[in-house]
Amino acid sequence: MRQQQIGIKAFIRTISHKQLFLPIFALCLVLLFNIIKTPAFFNISIQNGVLYGYIVDIINRASELIILSVGMTLVIASGGIDISVGAVSALAAAVCVRLLGSSYDFYATPLVLSILAACVAGLACGAFNGFLVAKMKIQAMVATLILFTAGRGIAQLISAREINGRMVPGQILYVRMDSFKNIGGFLPRVVVPTPVFIAIGVVLLAYLLLTRTALGLYIKSVGINSGAGRLVGINSVFITFLCYLICGLTASVAGVISASRIYSCDANNIGLYMELDAILAVAMGGNSLAGGKFSLAGSVIGAITIQALTTSLYAMGVTADQLPVYKAIVVVLIVAIQSSEFKRWLSIYKQKIQMRKAVAQ
């Protein structure tokens, strides 16, 4: 019996030291809370030919955040940060919707070309950030702050519409063709939301790129010590630039999905505060914000946890204005539990308990 207890304790100690343990534990806590509050939380049904349920909604709504967190993970692993991804999403969405036009009968520009143009816009933003950070050696927070403030303004200029004989920026542009709605909705005769397939595709591509090539190792090396990496022949400038480039691309993909969900481009609201959620997803995934070692799986779990938390708060009647406050409280608790200092305190507390038991015996 005692050997079994020792074995169980050793097993718990082993899995608790895994990087993904705490992110999964946090996600389980959020889901457990939902099950207690809503017994039918895990129920999934098919309504109107598509999957329907809380879980489906969480995974579907988390798709943009998952895509953003992939790019943000690479940037943070390289030792940087990108606070402009929300604005870049709005800019890419504006480019895509502007090119598509608002006709009920045809696209002004073919759908594929419009999406590619949006991706090029995202890549251009990523290249701009990467140039400032990698080549000009500007602090990442300051460099990406430029597009954080200017990106949404550019999106509003692109979204300008003629009203009373003059162009007024910041207008909501609509897309009337149904095929555009499939990107953020459902493909014909497919029960799973399209954004889920896109998110899976992005994660798989990133995984293959990082594990089948040396890029993942290079990013870790640059994030831990770019100077040391340079001494062994790693081009840290190019690696950092590439990370921002990928981050810009993922932001543009998320922006196109967001625009498709609402059949329009609202430059004021698409991607709003998404940069904070993406950074939180990376942090909750157990990744160090100081750079170096990273886990894509952790970031994906972190993104789903944040979306599950958001859905839960909405289900409790929390308004959109109050949502950031409640979310911040819960996220601070979860991140604090994952911190090394908390683990040290917990270890000291356990040692004191064991000493008291030993003295009592």
Side-chain angles (χ1 to χ4, degrees), residues 309 313 318-332:
L309 181 62
L313 291 173
V318 175
T319 63
D321 295 335
Q322 299 170 338
L323 184 67
V325 179
Y326 291 94
K327 199 160 44 173
I329 293 171
V330 176
V331 169
V332 164

Side-chain angles (χ1 to χ4, degrees), residues 36-78:
I36 295 171
K37 189 175 183 304
T38 311
F41 185 77
F42 279 103
N43 287 359
I44 296 176
S45 59
I46 294 181
Q47 296 185 13
N48 300 320
V50 299
L51 288 177
Y52 181 83
Y54 284 106
I55 287 293
V56 177
D57 186 55
I58 288 172
I59 296 174
N60 182 21
R61 294 288 171 183
S63 299
E64 290 106 305
L65 189 53
I66 290 172
I67 294 168
L68 279 177
S69 66
V70 168
M72 188 65 75
T73 301
L74 302 186
V75 167
I76 289 177
S78 68

Side-chain angles (χ1 to χ4, degrees), residues 255-277:
V256 172
I257 294 174
S258 298
S260 175
R261 285 191 193 279
I262 56 176
Y263 324 137
S264 61
C265 174
D266 182 358
N268 292 313
N269 290 309
I270 285 183
L272 191 63
Y273 303 136
M274 287 294 282
E275 57 278 341
L276 303 180
D277 281 351

